[in-house]
Every structure is written in C-alpha cells, then in structure tokens.
Amino acid sequence: MKNNFIKKIDDAIISQIIEGDSSAYDDILKEQGYNINDIENYSNKNFRKHSFLLKGLINKQKDLVLLEKASLLLHKAIEKNIDKPISYLRNLIANNQFQVQYRNLDNLGIEEIKDIIKDQNLLELLEQLEDEQK
C-alpha cells in the first residue's frame, strides 16, 4: 500500500511537471547547487541515444519480418515450380558462396532460403515476387 501511494505521488508530480511550468523546479534545483544546463544536456544526450537505439531495434524487427515473408514466398515458388523466382534464387546462389552447398533447390528449407537472401534488398525482392504472383 505504501509503494502504491508513493507511485501515485510520483505520477502526480510528473504529470504536474509535464503539464505545468517547470521553472519552479528549475529554481529549486539551482538553489540546491545543480547546474540546469548540465542536467538538460545530459537529458538531451540520453534522449537522442535511446531514440537512436529504438529506431535501430524497430528497423531490425521490420527487416526480420521482410526476410521471413520473402523466404516464405520463395519457398512456395519452389514448391509450385514457378520459373522467375527460381531463376532469381539460382542467380543469388551462383553469385554467392552458396554454390556447392545448395545445388538442389527442391530441398531448400525456409532457414536456408533466409541465409541466401539475407543480404539482398528485401523490399525490391518482395515487390518482384508479389508482382509475379498476380
């Protein structure tokens, strides 16, 4: 109960700071000997750092989703024996170090396809595959 009460007080103080004028808090911090500019610079630096890391994480998750989708489309194309995606995949294999490892496309699984297309432009690849399916 005590922790809940303290949390409510903290929430009220934070909402008051966000909604209201923070100059009173700045004055209190100055009186205590804190440098407001240092605090603001530190805060801005951390905000930019966390913002950058968050954008990177979001982009990584988007790339994983695109890789999964492209791999699944190529796997289905192999199963249905569709020429263009198969020839595209053979081209990738010929241009990469995978030449010996993946001679038989029929035996490729989703993870192996991911390994092959991992360094490709996934958006372009997905557009090509989806256009060919229409």
Side-chain angles (χ1 to χ4, degrees):
M1 178 138 162
K2 182 178 178 183
N3 288 340
N4 193 21
F5 182 70
I6 292 172
K7 186 176 187 283
K8 286 181 181 181
I9 291 173
D10 287 344
D11 290 342
I13 291 171
I14 290 171
S15 68
Q16 198 64 29
I17 291 171
I18 292 172
E19 294 172 4
D21 182 23
S22 64
S23 63
Y25 299 105
D26 289 347
D27 292 339
I28 293 170
L29 288 172
K30 283 180 188 176
E31 288 174 10
Q32 296 294 320
Y34 293 100
N35 185 336
I36 300 302
N37 290 331
D38 288 346
I39 294 171
E40 191 171 313
N41 289 337
Y42 179 79
S43 173
N44 287 335
K45 181 180 174 184
N46 277 322
F47 174 78
R48 286 191 300 270
K49 175 184 168 185
H50 291 290
S51 177
F52 176 78
L53 292 173
L54 185 59
K55 286 176 187 175
L57 182 62
I58 290 169
N59 287 336
K60 182 179 179 180
Q61 288 177 343
K62 284 180 184 177
D63 288 348
L64 289 175
V65 169
L66 291 176
L67 181 61
E68 187 70 36
K69 187 174 181 181
S71 302
L72 194 59
L73 285 173
L74 282 170
H75 191 263
K76 287 180 182 178
I78 291 171
E79 288 176 349
K80 294 179 182 177
N81 204 19
I82 302 172
D83 286 335
K84 285 186 179 180
I86 291 174
S87 64
Y88 180 79
L89 196 55
R90 281 195 175 122
N91 249 353
L92 288 177
I93 292 171
N95 292 332
N96 289 329
Q97 71 266 14
F98 302 112
Q99 292 177 16
V100 177
Q101 191 175 1
Y102 301 118
R103 289 181 188 219
N104 190 355
L105 291 181
D106 295 336
N107 296 334
L108 287 179
I110 299 283
E111 294 303 316
E112 293 160 327
I113 293 172
K114 284 181 189 177
D115 287 341
I116 295 169
I117 64 173
K118 199 175 279 183
D119 295 328
Q120 304 304 312
N121 184 344
L122 294 174
L123 287 175
E124 186 178 301
L125 175 61
L126 282 172
E127 288 173 0
Q128 288 176 358
L129 291 173
E130 288 173 349
D131 287 346
E132 291 169 8
Q133 287 185 347
K134 291 179 183 179

